Amino acid sequence: MVELGELRGRPAKREALGVVAPFDLELDRELWRWLPRDVDLLMTRTPAVGTAVTVDFARELTRGAAVPEGVRSVTAGRARVVAYACTSASFVGGRAGDAAIRAAMLAAGADGAITASGAIVEALRALGAARVAVATPYLPELSALLDVYLREHGIEPVVNAALGLDREIWNVPYARTAELIRQADRPDAQAIVVSCTNLPTYALIAPLERELGKPIVTANQATMWAALARMGRRANGPGQALVDPPGYSARS
């Protein structure tokens, strides 16, 4: 037991990553799993706008001052790099809409800014994947807009598999998500993209990459990887192709 008299000076200096998330995000704990031990997560949420995850819902999430105010709240402390952790809201407006979100984040005080959708694109480029299978929990009309966004970045979706859900995505069992990923996979897909920051995926990535023999890029994984890279740090994720390349061994 440490006596109070033995404690001198200040606590060890720690870095901080800022995250602005939609009001309904339920996976804070999953985001922490990619963090190095000496990096804190400073998180805030934007105001509630509805319940059903639809195209209109995704558009509404970033209207007004919600995202800039969120950025200001996390950069008031130690966070200099900020991630916007919503995939649908950052792809629903296409490449231009995503760029506008990042511009607003920088204008609000972030030194570095990334969105979940932008992070997926960066991850695919890092992996050299230009043809991908897409797996999402969304309604088909929302899921289709992710294909549009990826094509704007020169990435070709060869298939889009959607669960058709509009709420409580965080409750999807791992087994159902794993089956969705398997169904989405195609021989000509160089990687599999799994969208939605509210869909639990951490525990699935490494084992399914070994099974399917190709990288799997998920929204939360890519967001944390890209944001930490802007801090000069490396994300955790043993055996995951994106964040732990030496531990990745593709099936022959």
Side-chain angles (χ1 to χ4, degrees):
M1 181 175 181
V2 178
E3 296 293 333
L4 288 179
E6 298 174 20
L7 298 176
R8 303 204 194 306
R10 302 176 182 178
K13 187 175 181 179
R14 298 175 60 84
E15 293 182 276
L17 169 61
V19 174
V20 178
F23 68 96
D24 63 342
L25 184 75
E26 294 280 338
L27 300 186
D28 303 49
R29 181 170 180 146
E30 172 155 298
L31 295 178
W32 277 93
R33 298 182 75 174
W34 278 285
L35 279 181
R37 288 182 178 271
D38 60 344
V39 177
D40 293 327
L41 194 65
L42 305 186
M43 197 157 185
T44 190
R45 282 168 166 74
T46 55
V49 298
T51 55
V53 181
T54 63
V55 171
D56 288 341
F57 172 93
R59 294 189 191 281
E60 188 65 28
L61 284 172
T62 58
R63 285 186 180 141
V67 174
E69 287 178 358
V71 171
R72 284 190 284 270
S73 74
V74 294
T75 57
R78 291 170 289 134
R80 303 272 67 85
V81 172
V82 183
Y84 178 59
C86 183
T87 329
S88 61
S90 52
F91 71 64
V92 71
R95 185 170 184 168
D98 183 45
I101 294 170
R102 285 185 283 108
M105 294 170 71
L106 294 171
D111 291 341
I114 187 67
T115 68
S117 296
I120 288 172
V121 170
E122 289 186 14
L124 293 173
R125 287 177 175 162
L127 293 165
R131 293 177 61 80
V132 300
V134 174
T136 84
Y138 309 130
L139 297 170
E141 55 268 30
L142 180 57
S143 194
L145 291 177
L146 177 54
D147 287 1
V148 174
Y149 175 83
L150 292 173
R151 289 191 180 105
E152 286 186 292
H153 286 276
I155 298 164
E156 182 59 32
V158 298
V159 67
N160 186 307
L163 285 178
L165 302 178
D166 69 356
R167 66 196 69 218
E168 295 193 8
I169 290 169
W170 61 86
N171 275 329
V172 176
Y174 275 130
R176 189 177 184 191
T177 302
E179 187 55 31
L180 173 71
I181 293 169
R182 292 186 185 103
Q183 289 174 356
D185 186 29
R186 295 293 185 277
D188 55 342
Q190 297 166 307
I192 301 169
V193 172
V194 186
S195 188
C196 193
T197 54
N198 236 349
L199 184 69
T201 58
Y202 185 96
L204 293 175
I205 298 171
L208 281 176
E209 285 181 332
R210 291 192 297 270
E211 176 186 327
L212 301 176
K214 63 187 62 175
I216 296 171
V217 174
T218 78
N220 281 334
Q221 176 206 45
T223 300
M224 299 303 287
W225 166 82
L228 286 164
R230 282 161 170 73
M231 298 170 61
R233 303 301 301 272
R234 182 173 173 175
N236 289 323
Q240 297 177 12
L242 177 63
V243 302
D244 186 25
Y248 175 64
S249 178
R251 184 180 62 187
S252 59

